[in-house]
Amino acid sequence: MPRPRRRTDPAADLSRTLVAAIEANTATVSVIGQGYVGLSVAAAAARAGMRTIGVDLDADRVASLSSGQQVVPGVDDELFVEAFATGRLGFTTDPAVVGDSDVVLICVPTPLIDSRPDLAAIEGAGAAVGRYLMPGTLVILESTTYPGTTEQVLRPLLESHGRVAGADLLLAYSPERINPGDHAHGFAGVPRVVGGLTEHCTAAAAAFYGRLVDIVHPVSSCRAAELAKLLENTYRLVNIALVNELAQLCADQGIDTWEVIDAAATKPFGFQRFEPGPGVGGHCIPLDPAYLTWQSRRDTGRPFRLVELAKDINDQMPSYTARRIMDSLNRRGIAVKGSKLLALGVTYKPDVGDVRESAAIQVLAHLSSWGAKLSFHDPFVTSIDEHGVKLRRRRLTEDLVRDADAVILLTPHATYDLDEIAGWSSLLFDARNATGRRDHPDIEVL
């Protein structure tokens, strides 16, 4: 009696074929979006041995990157240089390259508009990818978003030309985990979370990231991976809010906030150090938790109360910081109106040239509205035109510092000689305790 023929699973065959190509370095990769997320993963894929094409709508950015100029803030320069030197990293504005790709990553912005997620970039990228996609391709979404986006928003766009995700198309989600300016945690050293539409999708995506990073952590679904990303940054938002409110309490009671934090941090378990500041900024911490609170209200009708409260506390920190600066001036008999204030550092974090959601600029906006005469220096920023503040960078000199009624250290870049600046200043307001000199008569710390 003849043996029955073994039925094969087309999706399993696609996954095995793709994994073999990835392991043999014959897979071609396209990365849609060449911001700091897309360019970083494109460079990592090229460095790992895969032919990689970065796709972006910005023709000037594409031209610069194609000539070997690293023009994207937040991308590790060494990673880009190494990848470009391989000759495997190219750039284009034409999404049709997706048709020749085995792996397609979507790394596009997902901002908030009126506190609601704006998925227009994902929708546009999904439509473009769906137009050119070939059967057997693995598509991975990396953009931060709420749970369900990969399956409910991206999947229909990819399937609009007759393909079926999970059958003749592999689909997964893997949240980016890049910390711009953090040289201690390079791209390869940060584990990757991966969740696919099916187990075969997850296996293929895990194989791809396994070539780029040391550790891959698979989860059961796209939704689990999407929510893991939101949890990471919501955790940070909540704990930053805790120490920001603690700083206000300590100021009211005459207690040294930083002494309290230093003491608590000596505990070897059950405590992780977070530090207060003028507010949160960047694309992740201010925005990612808002996806969570928005979805909770939309899908369950319940507010995510702890997260919403934490956001409110952090949102108040720029105005609180500005009031603390005003109080410091008042104690020296200087009115904020007409005072000459020099701000040092206006990016959202040290040693990164990114002003998105920068709390430092919001602090300046409050001071400007009260009549202060502002100037600023930042090694990464040549001009400001946000929140009603329009300024051009000044050259940082001893005369500029001495001429100011107060120097406001908002973002302590490594290039600043803080001892020298403190010596020149009649009053230095240190919003980050970067000087560590809280007992100095001419230094005040948030």
Side-chain angles (χ1 to χ4, degrees):
M1 183 175 180
R3 296 175 60 185
R5 297 187 64 181
R6 183 179 177 183
R7 297 179 64 182
T8 61
D9 183 342
D13 292 341
L14 288 178
S15 181
R16 282 193 292 268
T17 300
L18 180 57
V19 169
I22 290 170
E23 293 177 346
N25 274 342
T26 58
T28 299
V29 180
S30 292
V31 183
I32 310 299
Q34 291 299 283
Y36 77 91
V37 174
L39 181 56
S40 295
V41 72
R47 186 175 64 176
M50 289 173 268
R51 180 176 174 269
T52 306
I53 306 295
V55 183
D56 200 277
L57 296 175
D58 188 333
D60 291 337
R61 173 172 294 186
V62 166
S64 296
L65 294 174
S66 296
S67 67
Q69 300 178 59
Q70 204 298 82
V71 293
V72 181
V75 176
D76 185 289
D77 290 334
E78 184 177 348
L79 172 62
F80 176 79
V81 169
E82 290 179 1
F84 194 80
T86 67
R88 292 186 291 266
L89 180 60
F91 302 93
T92 183
T93 59
D94 186 1
V97 296
V98 165
D100 296 321
S101 301
D102 302 289
V103 181
V104 178
L105 295 102
I106 297 177
C107 309
V108 294
T110 49
L112 293 172
I113 295 181
D114 297 328
S115 299
R116 296 172 61 87
D118 178 11
L119 303 185
I122 290 180
E123 292 167 349
V129 170
R131 188 177 306 121
Y132 300 107
L133 203 60
M134 296 297 291
T137 305
L138 167 65
V139 179
I140 305 172
L141 178 63
E142 285 203 7
S143 304
T144 301
T145 186
Y146 60 86
T149 302
T150 305
E151 296 177 53
Q152 298 165 7
V153 178
L154 181 59
R155 179 181 180 177
L157 294 168
L158 301 179
E159 292 182 335
S160 62
H161 293 268
R163 291 168 294 274
V164 178
D168 54 5
L169 165 68
L170 302 170
L171 178 61
Y173 181 82
S174 179
E176 60 90 5
R177 279 179 160 178
I178 298 168
N179 187 21
D182 183 353
H183 301 294
H185 300 95
F187 192 97
V190 180
R192 274 292 186 142
V193 173
V194 174
L197 185 66
T198 67
E199 61 179 323
H200 301 306
C201 297
T202 302
F208 171 73
Y209 285 108
R211 296 301 310 278
L212 311 188
V213 301
D214 298 332
I215 298 173
V216 177
H217 182 84
V219 294
S220 62
S221 66
C222 300
R223 293 169 64 90
E226 289 162 337
L227 187 54
K229 169 64 172 178
L230 299 187
L231 175 60
E232 294 169 16
N233 284 326
T234 299
Y235 172 85
R236 295 168 69 191
L237 178 90
V238 169
N239 282 280
I240 291 169
L242 172 63
V243 293
N244 277 337
E245 194 158 38
L246 176 73
Q248 297 178 48
L249 174 66
C250 287
D252 290 341
Q253 297 194 345
I255 300 172
D256 187 330
T257 309
W258 299 90
E259 182 182 19
V260 172
I261 294 172
D262 288 343
T266 62
K267 187 178 181 181
F269 57 90
F271 182 85
Q272 183 176 1
R273 184 185 183 101
F274 286 82
E275 298 181 346
V280 297
H283 184 65
C284 292
I285 300 178
L287 302 184
D288 294 3
Y291 278 81
L292 200 55
T293 58
W294 173 83
Q295 189 184 40
S296 179
R297 286 184 177 272
R298 185 195 69 168
D299 294 350
T300 71
R302 293 192 302 271
F304 209 132
R305 291 177 294 173
L306 181 62
V307 179
E308 292 182 1
L309 179 59
K311 182 180 184 303
D312 287 342
I313 293 169
N314 289 329
D315 286 348
Q316 294 168 13
M317 285 307 293
S319 63
Y320 173 76
T321 303
R323 290 196 303 273
R324 286 284 302 274
I325 294 167
M326 180 174 64
D327 291 343
S328 298
L329 291 167
N330 286 339
R331 283 192 289 272
R332 287 162 176 78
I334 303 171
V336 67
K337 184 176 182 179
S339 62
K340 292 184 288 186
L341 306 181
L342 170 63
L344 299 183
V346 296
T347 58
Y348 84 90
K349 67 183 295 188
D351 304 320
V352 170
D354 193 341
V355 297
R356 287 181 297 176
E357 309 296 327
S358 172
I361 296 178
Q362 296 176 51
V363 172
L364 299 186
H366 286 289
L367 294 169
S368 176
S369 71
W370 298 339
K373 297 178 180 178
L374 302 175
S375 58
F376 90 96
H377 176 272
D378 190 300
F380 299 96
V381 181
T382 58
S383 63
I384 300 171
D385 187 2
E386 291 187 38
H387 301 290
V389 178
K390 283 189 173 186
L391 296 170
R392 291 198 63 80
R393 180 174 64 193
R394 298 287 301 276
R395 191 166 67 89
L396 186 58
T397 65
E398 179 178 353
D399 288 343
L400 180 66
V401 174
R402 290 190 182 280
D403 188 50
D405 292 311
V407 174
I408 308 164
L409 183 61
L410 294 169
T411 309
H413 297 300
T415 55
Y416 290 143
D417 185 332
L418 298 183
D419 288 335
E420 187 175 65
I421 291 168
W424 295 339
S425 305
S426 58
L427 169 61
L428 174 60
F429 187 91
D430 182 356
R432 302 279 188 176
N433 192 31
T435 60
R437 297 167 66 177
R438 301 189 300 277
D439 57 350
H440 193 286
D442 296 325
I443 297 178
E444 293 204 19
V445 179
L446 182 69

